[in-house]
Structure formats: C-alpha cells, structure tokens
Amino acid sequence: MAIRHYWPMAAAAVGFRLVLVLFGGDLHLSSRPEVSTPLTSLRRLAEGYWLKQASMSPYSGSMYHGSPLLLSVLGPLTSKRSGGHHAHIYCSLVFVAVDFIAAMLIRSTGRTLQVARGKSLKSLDLAKSVNDPVNASAGDTASLIYLWNPWTIITCVGSCTSPIENLMVVVMIYGACSRLAPLAAFGYVMATHLSLYPAILILPVTLLLGYGPDTPPAKVFLQKGLSASKVDISDIGKSTSQRGFGQISWKPVLHFMLWVFIWSCYVLVLNSIILNKAGGLQEMFEKTYGFILTVKDLSPNIGVLWYFFAEVFDFFRSFFLIVFNMNIIFMVLPLAIRLKHRPCFLAFVYTAIVAMLKSYPSAGDSALYLGLLGLFANELAEMQFTFFLFFGYIGVSLLSPVMHNLWIWRGTGNANFYFATGLAYTCLQTVLVVETVSSMIKHDRKLRLLIKT
Amino acid sequence: MAFARREHGPPRPALLFLLSILPLLVLFTFSSAAAPPTAASPAALHNNNWAVLVCTSRFWFNYRHMANTLSLYRTVKRLGIPDERIILMLADDMACNPRNNYPAQVFNNENHQLNLYGDNVEVDYRGYEVTVENFLRILTGRHESSVPRSKRLLSDEGSHILLYMTGHGGDEFLKFQDNEELQSHDLADAVKQMKEKHRFKELLIMVDTCQAATLFSQLQSPGVLAIGSSKKGENSYSHHLDSDIGVSVVDRFTFHTLAFFEKLNMYSNASLNSLFNSYDPSMLLSTAYYRMDLYERALNEVPVTNFFGSVMKTIHTDSAYTGFLAAREVETPLSMRNNILGSAVLQDEASTRRLMKEAQLRSDGWIQILLEGKNSDTVVMYGLGTMGVLLAVSTWLSM
C-alpha cells in the first residue's frame, strides 16, 4: 500500500531545503559541532582546495582530512561566490540533489524488500495470517522519513559532506539488494574511501548478493517443509530455490569482489594523480584513515570519544583507541551470525553502531540510519520504547545545542553539560539498536509460531 | 506450547557487554607485558653554538678586560653567532665612563681602528648584575621565573658552548667585582651539572687571567676543552698601553687570539690545533696551557668555527613547503664542512632521501608517463567522467 500524496510530500521536502539554502543565510549551521566535524566540514574542504591550487599538499596544516576526489569535485564549487547568499550555495544545491537521489534509492530498495517479503510470506502461506498493523510500503515510508527528518535537513543545509557519504552507503545497499554488483561495489569503495567505517558493511553486502534480500530465517522454511505431510519435494525445491534457502549463489559475490578490485584500483590511481605533486598516497592514508583512527582532533561533537580522549593519559591512549575500534569490530561477527537471513537489516544495525562509536559522529550519520530504519517499518511494528526513543531524540536534539551554548558562549556551563547530552544520545542509540534487533528477532519467532500452528 | 528456547531479548545486552569485555582483558595482558618506552636516545647532533662572554672587573684601570670581552664578542658575531645565542656580561661600563676621552667608544688597539662598542652591542648582564651567583645560574639554567629569555643560556644537548672569562684571577679562583670570587671547584660543579642536564655537547673554556690554568684544574666532565693564558705561578700580561686613553687596552693572550681570528672568515676551516699552536710563549710572556684530556676528538679535526662561529648546514629545496614529505632533491650544503659527524649524518639523510625519491619515482614514473604534457586537473576530470560512464554502462549491462 503506497502512501498517498507521496510525490507532493517529497517535492515539499526538497522545496523546503531549497528555501533554507537560498534564504536561510543566517543559520550558520556549518559552525555547529553537531553538523560539521573535522572530517566533513566544507570550510575545511575549501581550505584544502586552495592549498592544492597553490601546489601544496591539501593535507598540510591539518585542516582538510577528506578524500582528494571530493576536492576535485566540490573544490571548484566552493570557490565560486554569489553575492547575497551564503558561502557555499552551489555545494548546498548539489547536496540537495544528492539527498533527493538518496531518497529515491531508498525508495526502490524498500520496493525490492517489500517484493521479497511478499514472496517469502506467500511461499510460507502466511500472507493473510500475518496481520500487520501497518502494512505500509516500506520504501515510501523510509524515503519520506529520510527526506523529512530534521537531522537530514540540517545536514543537507549545513555545509558538510555527509550527504555524499550517505548517498554512497545507500547506493551500496541499493545495488546489493537489486543484485547489481558493479553499483554495489562502487558504493562500497566510495563509502569506505570517504569515511573508513562503512568497510564493515562488506558483510551485509556479500550476504545480500549471495542470499538475496531479507527473508525469514531458514528454520521457518525448514519447518514449513517438514510440517506439510504430503509435500512434494520438487515443490519444496522450486519454492526454496527461488530464495536461496541456505544455498549461497557465488556468482554475484565474485562479480562484486572483482568490481571492488576494479573500482578501488581506479580510485587509488585517480587519487595518486591528484596528489602527484603533494605527498602521494601514503600521506593521503595517513591524513585521512590515520586521522580517523588516531582521533587527533578533540573538538567537541555529539559523540563520546572527544571527552574521553581529552582526559586519558598518553600512555594509555593507543590502548583505548584499540578498545573503541574493537567495540565496533567485535559487534560485526555475532550480529552477522544471528541476522544473516536479514542482511539489509544487518546493514542498518551496522550503520547505527558505527554512528554511535565512530570517532567524529555528526547528525548526518544519524540521518542515514534513521532513514534506513523506515525500511523495516513492517517488521518492527511492535517495537518497544518507541515513545521514549522518539521524545528522547527530540529532547537531545534540542538540549544539545543549548548546552553547547551554555558551555562555550555564556560560560555558565562546562564541558560536562554538553557531554551529558552526548551520553544521553549514545544511550538512546544503544536502546534503539537493542530494541530493533530484539523486535526483529521477535518478529521472526512470531513467524515461526505461526508456521507451527 | 512451551519453548525450551530462551528469551533473546534481555540477555542480549549482557552478551554484548561480555563480548566487549573480552578484548579489554586481552589488551590488559598485552599492555602489562609491554616494555616501557626506552629513555635512551642516540648521541645528539651538533646543531647550535652559544657563547658566554664574561668580564668580571670593575674600575677604569681594568679597561683592557672590557676590551677583551668586547673584542671576542665582535669576533663571534662576525663569524656567525647571533645575539640571541650570546650572553655578554660586562661588570662595568667603560664606554660611557666619565674618564673616557672617546665617549661611547671602546678600542682594543692604540691605532683606534676598531670601535668595539658600535650600535649593535647587546649586553645581557651589566654592572652589578655580574655576580658569581648569576654566572652560576646562567650555566646551570636555574633562574627565577621572572628572568627573561635573553638572559638565559637556552642550550640543549646539541649545543657547543664557548665560555670566555677574563679579569683578575689567581690560584684556583677568579675575582668578580672586586668583592667575591669564583672558585675552580664551583666552576667544575657547575659544568658537571650542565653535563648531567645535557646542556651542552661540547664546551670550550677560554680564560685570560693570571694563573688561568688553575681555574679549570678541577673539571672532570667529558666533552670539555679548556685553555688558559697562563699556568700556575705565572702572570698574564697586558699587551700595550694606549697613551691617549691612558690605560692598557688589551691583554696579550686575547690580542694574539684576535690576531688569529682576524685572518679567518665564516668559511675557513682552520682547526683548534692551529689556534692553540699559534700561541707563542715568548710573545705571550706566559705559557698558554690547554687541557684536552676530557675532550674526545682530536684537535686538528675540529674547526674553530665549531665554537667561535656558527655555521649552519643549509639544505636547498627548490619546491614550496610541501608540508609532509621533505624536498625531493638534496643538494650539497652551502658550505662543505670538514665535520665528520656532520658528513656522516648528511650521508644518512641523503641515502634515506634517495631511497624515498627512488620509491616515489618508481610509483610516480608511470604517473608521469600518464601526465605527460597534460594538466593533472583535466586528467582527473576525464577520469571522474569515465568513472561515471563506466558505472552507468556496467550497471546497465548487469541488470
């Protein structure tokens, strides 16, 4: 069931962004720590571009820490000024278009997931017995959430490069769901190149390409096959081979690996051409990935690493860097084992974990996973704590700038005020991840129960 | 129907928590077994020169001590040590002394050819500030926090320091301001503290007083070279009397030292050996005694500009500041020094730079081939365009 007035609402979201971009010159969102981080700030990109044009390394002076490709694409746009509008207006227009493309890709991913879900429910003869309270079109819901989420709007208008990173992740997921290996590989290579953390999404992408989109777990199919007494083996074979049923198809995966190799070579060649006169690839890796992993810049953001690393002793610094990165890596395998039948949902959980524990989180990361959350609106319909989460997010997004103001501008608060909102935000995200995973598993168990009866 | 399977809801956070504890435990064992960072560093390179020039006498008839110190100040400045690295201590003011016939001028020769007190003389300690306490504070670096940086000896483990003292001295002492004295064991103690705190790499002490050699008889720190104008029991004499000014204007030892240095410029590599051998006892009327037992290097290999001048090795780069990697080419430094240590270091640097250059050439070579004659920006634009086209075509083909 598609959402009525979908296209008007989508167009209104784009129009709202254009209004903010063209007439919202005083918002100064790019100076807010929640929006722009040392990795994504457009001001730093402009500085890096200027340095590159002056035949110096764009990484000198530790201002710019992003990809050289972004320098070539967005750099010339940052230097064009038009009077009366805010500084990076052309880049913001590009970001509005990028957001719209991402929303459309999310919509078609939702369509694919919906079709797969319908197919699997029909094969289990559950299409009528599963009474979904909300049988909305997942794609429409998710793309509207993505477009109208205030965090996405702020990210889009706020002169940071997060929309492009989010687009690459969405491209990767869309390509994987639609079994388009070159597209998925392109999205994966670009997303990993722009920010390091999407590298862990290789697991869900391989699972998506190998097994196909989200399905109920294999047990359910096994039980379905076993409980029917007069079942034709050829029927089972025909119905289950359509969705893999534990049989991984290697061809798309190998295709994907080949294209990953091709795209990464291409990207590396382009980067070494761009950085020809400057430090070269080694400097690029040191200043982008090295900067992300060693957390050199401790300016406040909505994450938890800055506060922690400001007070840790030097002797233990590398130990705690390893611990924080291990926290992400250690979640990868168990979640993959438990949720391997739902790779798209796995990708969503990974993006949420990364948004929580990455070294420089921002509102853009939350925008991504909140948009992807909408894709699973049907399965997660019975999630608990939704009231708490919803108003928690609103509360944190209102209090966090207030505490920042109290701390920095008025001086009546201190860092602990701001960090408390960061902690509350991390707590909310933890609750979100835990609750979504448990409600997804409950949904699968409900399906199994329905099969048994 | 009862299920044997557990609830997956509540224990899940506990499971995640346990899983995150595991790497912590592993890393604790590793970190406790990790060795502490080594404190030992390799021998430092010589990279700066300092001069501490001390004149300890007051009163008009000790004009020559002031002239000694100012002559040496002029020499070390001429040979390259900047004012920031010279500490000049003058116990009295001769230039503006009411008895000076030539106000604001100090000469070290009766021909009055050289005015030592020009307009770029920077005196750091003057008059009553020249005390034994301040002198020892300079050497050991233990100042009150209010002492400005221009009055501190800010040397490090790569410094060569020239310490020149002149005035009235005797057996194992040097008189300061006519009312206190610096004893040889005080000086030896201060030098020992300097060595412990790595405040110098090499130290040359030059003393022009009576019985000068006794002042450094108690020294035991390695890396110290000392020369005095006379031995124990001998006096050091002034060179000549200037009848216009009315007092002696220079001492013999310093006069011959200056005569040696006037022949040199910044690029000379005359050795310390030739300096020390230039002292003729019959001209000095005393024996210039030096002790080199604490000094490891051979004197004929050490150029005098290691202490009396300040010659920096410059490495020419022809590209702008690249920020990360240093210049691709290393040209030979501007002045070829005979410094063995310096050349060894230079060879190491040159070889590492050559390796880096070769590695880069190997990887850049094919980039250069790609970029022959074209602007890299346009190549990148074409590359990005091709990437987009390739993406579209491959996606369309695999649909």
Side-chain angles (χ1 to χ4, degrees), chain B residues 67-303:
Chain B
N68 289 349
T69 319
L70 283 171
S71 319
L72 218 61
Y73 174 77
R74 178 187 161 270
T75 303
V76 300
K77 265 184 88 160
R78 185 174 67 86
L79 292 178
I81 304 186
D83 271 317
E84 295 94 60
R85 291 206 285 274
I86 302 179
I87 301 209
L88 180 60
M89 302 173 78
L90 298 180
D92 200 359
D93 180 14
M94 302 303 171
C96 301
N97 196 304
R99 283 166 144 181
N100 193 356
N101 244 354
Y102 299 86
Q105 287 165 315
V106 175
F107 305 111
N108 67 351
N109 201 310
E110 62 176 346
N111 57 21
H112 294 185
Q113 274 194 336
L114 208 52
N115 173 21
L116 300 171
Y117 209 78
D119 53 1
N120 61 348
V121 169
E122 206 177 273
V123 182
D124 299 299
Y125 286 82
R126 65 201 64 204
Y128 287 112
E129 290 171 355
V130 180
T131 59
V132 174
E133 180 193 344
N134 280 348
F135 175 69
L136 291 177
R137 278 187 189 276
I138 288 173
L139 287 187
T140 54
R142 290 186 163 144
H143 294 281
E144 314 231 329
S145 50
S146 54
V147 171
R149 281 174 69 89
S150 59
K151 282 184 163 171
R152 296 182 191 229
L153 178 64
L154 299 167
S155 55
D156 54 23
E157 66 262 7
S159 306
H160 284 185
I161 303 184
L162 166 71
L163 174 58
Y164 174 81
M165 292 183 281
T166 181
H168 287 292
D171 194 1
E172 311 258 341
F173 71 89
L174 172 66
K175 187 172 73 158
F176 267 67
Q177 301 270 13
D178 214 24
N179 65 355
E180 56 179 358
E181 59 189 30
L182 170 77
Q183 300 198 318
S184 57
H185 57 84
D186 288 328
L187 180 63
D189 194 57
V191 171
K192 184 169 165 221
Q193 285 190 43
M194 285 174 85
K195 193 68 191 173
E196 296 267 334
K197 289 168 77 163
H198 299 289
R199 277 168 70 76
F200 66 91
K201 189 166 184 286
E202 290 175 11
L203 175 65
L204 171 62
I205 302 182
M206 193 178 244
V207 188
D208 188 357
T209 68
C210 304
Q211 305 190 57
T214 57
L215 192 63
F216 47 80
S217 61
Q218 308 275 345
L219 286 175
Q220 291 189 350
S221 315
V224 178
L225 185 60
I227 178 164
S229 57
S230 51
K231 288 163 70 163
K232 179 176 160 87
E234 291 177 350
N235 288 335
S236 295
Y237 297 97
S238 63
H239 193 260
H240 60 268
L241 172 77
D242 182 344
S243 40
D244 224 346
I245 293 187
V247 286
S248 305
V249 289
V250 70
D251 279 333
R252 283 181 183 257
F253 178 76
T254 308
F255 180 85
H256 286 104
T257 310
L258 293 173
F260 181 87
F261 276 106
E262 284 301 309
K263 292 184 259 180
L264 301 183
N265 61 18
M266 277 213 296
Y267 305 110
S268 312
N269 50 5
S271 68
L272 276 179
N273 207 23
S274 53
L275 170 65
F276 289 174
N277 288 342
S278 72
Y279 296 123
D280 186 2
S282 61
M283 300 294 285
L284 286 182
L285 304 182
S286 60
T287 320
Y289 172 76
Y290 58 95
R291 78 179 273 201
M292 41 178 268
D293 56 325
L294 297 169
Y295 193 67
E296 295 100 23
R297 298 203 280 161
L299 288 179
N300 55 357
E301 290 163 4
V302 181

Side-chain angles (χ1 to χ4, degrees), chain A residues 72 182 266 276 283 319 330 449, chain B residues 3 19 27 371 381 383 386 394:
Chain A
S72 306
Y266 201 99
N276 193 22
E283 185 191 11
F319 165 68
F330 242 65
L449 284 182
Chain B
F3 282 101
L19 280 174
L27 283 154
L371 285 181
M381 280 299 144
T386 319
S394 58

